[in-house]
mmCIF file of all heavy atoms in Angstrom:
data_model
loop_
_atom_site.group_PDB
_atom_site.id
_atom_site.type_symbol
_atom_site.label_atom_id
_atom_site.label_comp_id
_atom_site.label_asym_id
_atom_site.label_seq_id
_atom_site.Cartn_x
_atom_site.Cartn_y
_atom_site.Cartn_z
ATOM 1 N N THR A 584 6.366 76.879 3.827
ATOM 2 C CA THR A 584 7.399 75.826 4.045
ATOM 3 C C THR A 584 7.531 75.533 5.508
ATOM 4 O O THR A 584 7.676 74.360 5.920
ATOM 5 C CB THR A 584 8.789 76.294 3.490
ATOM 6 O OG1 THR A 584 8.651 76.560 2.115
ATOM 7 C CG2 THR A 584 9.868 75.260 3.651
ATOM 8 N N PHE A 591 4.848 67.898 9.104
ATOM 9 C CA PHE A 591 5.589 66.641 8.917
ATOM 10 C C PHE A 591 6.161 66.092 10.221
ATOM 11 O O PHE A 591 6.067 64.983 10.605
ATOM 12 C CB PHE A 591 6.622 66.834 7.861
ATOM 13 C CG PHE A 591 7.482 65.597 7.630
ATOM 14 C CD1 PHE A 591 6.918 64.639 6.841
ATOM 15 C CD2 PHE A 591 8.710 65.461 8.219
ATOM 16 C CE1 PHE A 591 7.686 63.442 6.624
ATOM 17 C CE2 PHE A 591 9.472 64.340 7.993
ATOM 18 C CZ PHE A 591 8.989 63.315 7.210
ATOM 19 N N PRO A 599 2.186 55.626 14.874
ATOM 20 C CA PRO A 599 2.257 54.475 15.733
ATOM 21 C C PRO A 599 3.510 53.556 15.437
ATOM 22 O O PRO A 599 3.860 53.477 14.244
ATOM 23 C CB PRO A 599 0.943 53.634 15.526
ATOM 24 C CG PRO A 599 0.560 54.022 14.138
ATOM 25 C CD PRO A 599 1.007 55.534 13.967
ATOM 26 N N VAL A 606 9.160 35.822 16.729
ATOM 27 C CA VAL A 606 9.434 35.053 15.599
ATOM 28 C C VAL A 606 10.443 33.878 16.012
ATOM 29 O O VAL A 606 11.331 34.004 16.855
ATOM 30 C CB VAL A 606 10.025 35.808 14.422
ATOM 31 C CG1 VAL A 606 8.931 36.849 13.921
ATOM 32 C CG2 VAL A 606 11.286 36.486 14.725
ATOM 33 N N ILE A 660 -38.927 -23.415 28.882
ATOM 34 C CA ILE A 660 -40.192 -23.535 28.226
ATOM 35 C C ILE A 660 -41.012 -24.664 28.978
ATOM 36 O O ILE A 660 -40.420 -25.604 29.429
ATOM 37 C CB ILE A 660 -40.016 -23.827 26.784
ATOM 38 C CG1 ILE A 660 -39.270 -22.793 26.118
ATOM 39 C CG2 ILE A 660 -41.336 -24.098 26.031
ATOM 40 C CD1 ILE A 660 -38.840 -23.010 24.700
ATOM 41 N N GLU A 675 -43.229 -47.064 23.443
ATOM 42 C CA GLU A 675 -43.116 -47.565 22.141
ATOM 43 C C GLU A 675 -41.794 -48.428 21.964
ATOM 44 O O GLU A 675 -41.779 -49.454 21.312
ATOM 45 C CB GLU A 675 -43.115 -46.478 21.145
ATOM 46 C CG GLU A 675 -43.095 -46.884 19.647
ATOM 47 C CD GLU A 675 -44.377 -47.698 19.352
ATOM 48 O OE1 GLU A 675 -45.378 -47.512 19.984
ATOM 49 O OE2 GLU A 675 -44.276 -48.543 18.392
ATOM 50 N N ASN A 750 -31.579 -7.310 26.973
ATOM 51 C CA ASN A 750 -32.763 -7.502 27.676
ATOM 52 C C ASN A 750 -33.570 -8.574 27.088
ATOM 53 O O ASN A 750 -33.537 -8.975 25.956
ATOM 54 C CB ASN A 750 -33.579 -6.173 27.689
ATOM 55 C CG ASN A 750 -34.082 -5.763 26.319
ATOM 56 O OD1 ASN A 750 -33.322 -5.660 25.404
ATOM 57 N ND2 ASN A 750 -35.445 -5.773 26.119
ATOM 58 N N ASN A 849 -10.256 -6.791 25.970
ATOM 59 C CA ASN A 849 -11.184 -5.997 26.690
ATOM 60 C C ASN A 849 -11.486 -6.662 28.019
ATOM 61 O O ASN A 849 -12.589 -6.906 28.391
ATOM 62 C CB ASN A 849 -12.458 -5.890 25.797
ATOM 63 C CG ASN A 849 -13.341 -4.858 26.318
ATOM 64 O OD1 ASN A 849 -12.970 -3.875 26.952
ATOM 65 N ND2 ASN A 849 -14.686 -4.979 26.069
ATOM 66 N N GLY A 860 -14.103 5.389 17.499
ATOM 67 C CA GLY A 860 -12.804 5.684 17.978
ATOM 68 C C GLY A 860 -11.838 6.022 16.856
ATOM 69 O O GLY A 860 -12.237 5.954 15.737
ATOM 70 N N SER A 885 -7.473 27.448 1.998
ATOM 71 C CA SER A 885 -6.162 27.035 2.298
ATOM 72 C C SER A 885 -5.722 27.382 3.681
ATOM 73 O O SER A 885 -6.333 28.287 4.297
ATOM 74 C CB SER A 885 -5.159 27.602 1.244
ATOM 75 O OG SER A 885 -5.173 28.963 1.363
ATOM 76 N N LEU A 889 1.827 32.929 9.093
ATOM 77 C CA LEU A 889 2.411 34.288 8.923
ATOM 78 C C LEU A 889 3.886 34.222 9.305
ATOM 79 O O LEU A 889 4.324 33.707 10.292
ATOM 80 C CB LEU A 889 1.636 35.235 9.777
ATOM 81 C CG LEU A 889 0.161 35.481 9.541
ATOM 82 C CD1 LEU A 889 -0.458 36.495 10.557
ATOM 83 C CD2 LEU A 889 -0.065 35.935 8.081
ATOM 84 N N THR A 919 10.371 26.551 5.079
ATOM 85 C CA THR A 919 11.773 26.146 5.077
ATOM 86 C C THR A 919 12.361 26.385 6.512
ATOM 87 O O THR A 919 11.746 27.113 7.337
ATOM 88 C CB THR A 919 12.542 26.790 4.026
ATOM 89 O OG1 THR A 919 12.741 28.269 4.459
ATOM 90 C CG2 THR A 919 12.037 26.769 2.618
ATOM 91 N N PRO A 944 12.967 37.808 19.189
ATOM 92 C CA PRO A 944 13.338 36.336 19.236
ATOM 93 C C PRO A 944 12.342 35.551 20.067
ATOM 94 O O PRO A 944 11.971 35.867 21.155
ATOM 95 C CB PRO A 944 14.744 36.240 19.807
ATOM 96 C CG PRO A 944 14.894 37.608 20.633
ATOM 97 C CD PRO A 944 14.129 38.599 19.941
#
Side-chain angles (χ1 to χ4, degrees):
T584 303
F591 178 80
V606 297
I660 299 173
E675 185 62 25
N750 65 300
N849 191 26
S885 62
L889 297 181
T919 67

